[in-house]
Amino acid sequence: MDRVIGIDYGDSRIGIALSDPFGWGASPLCVVDGKQGLKKAVAEIVSLVDKNAAVKIVIGYPLNMNGTQGPRVQRTERFIEAFSLERPDVEVVRWDERLTTVAADRTMRELGISQREKGVSDKFAAAFILQGYLDSLKNK
């Protein structure tokens, strides 16, 4: 299996995770500064896709708890559109991200990782999004 990048998209910070080459596990990778603007954020993520030879990105899809689409979905869709214009060859998978930040924060507490360090929970949330996707492939 080729590598897959997981993304926890946010306006301020964009958490990035990377799968192992076999598609078994996801690890937190880095945080992209979302405040630099959509174009620069997309360029940085395209660079990460190229550097890691990723063939797919899995982006957290921010549905409301009742399953409806809120305003964050529109911002996420704008990112997906901009990314797809730059790299139409890379598959984009939208993945329900409800409760991933809660799970990431809980895991960080259990591991004794400070939640005050900006971006750490974003990377962990991206890893949870990606791991959920990878696990779903194993269950098929």
Side-chain angles (χ1 to χ4, degrees):
M1 178 175 185
D2 296 300
R3 291 204 181 231
V4 181
I5 286 184
I7 300 176
D8 179 39
Y9 185 76
D11 294 329
S12 299
R13 291 179 303 276
I14 303 167
I16 308 291
L18 182 65
S19 73
D20 64 56
F22 305 106
W24 295 335
S27 299
L29 182 63
C30 64
V31 175
V32 170
D33 183 2
K35 294 178 190 169
Q36 63 186 337
L38 182 62
K39 193 171 189 165
K40 284 188 178 184
V42 167
E44 203 168 323
I45 292 169
V46 165
S47 175
L48 289 168
V49 166
D50 293 341
K51 178 181 174 185
N52 293 288
V55 296
K56 184 182 300 183
I57 65 170
V58 177
I59 187 163
Y61 211 59
L63 298 172
N64 294 324
M65 288 307 288
N66 64 2
T68 61
Q69 294 184 2
R72 288 190 56 230
V73 166
Q74 294 166 352
R75 291 193 293 271
T76 302
E77 284 294 340
R78 278 195 294 275
F79 169 81
I80 291 169
E81 185 178 318
F83 176 85
S84 295
L85 285 172
E86 292 295 318
R87 289 302 304 273
D89 58 315
V90 176
E91 181 182 353
V92 177
V93 176
R94 292 159 180 83
W95 192 257
D96 185 351
E97 71 168 18
R98 286 177 282 184
L99 302 178
T100 54
T101 301
V102 173
D105 289 344
R106 183 181 318 119
T107 299
M108 288 173 53
R109 271 194 311 278
E110 290 170 0
L111 295 174
I113 299 170
S114 172
Q115 292 178 314
R116 281 183 271 175
E117 188 179 331
K118 292 214 181 295
V120 175
S121 67
D122 300 296
K123 290 189 293 192
F124 272 85
F128 272 87
I129 289 164
L130 181 53
Q131 190 64 55
Y133 171 75
L134 295 172
D135 290 346
S136 78
L137 296 178
K138 292 178 216 168
N139 295 329
K140 284 187 177 179

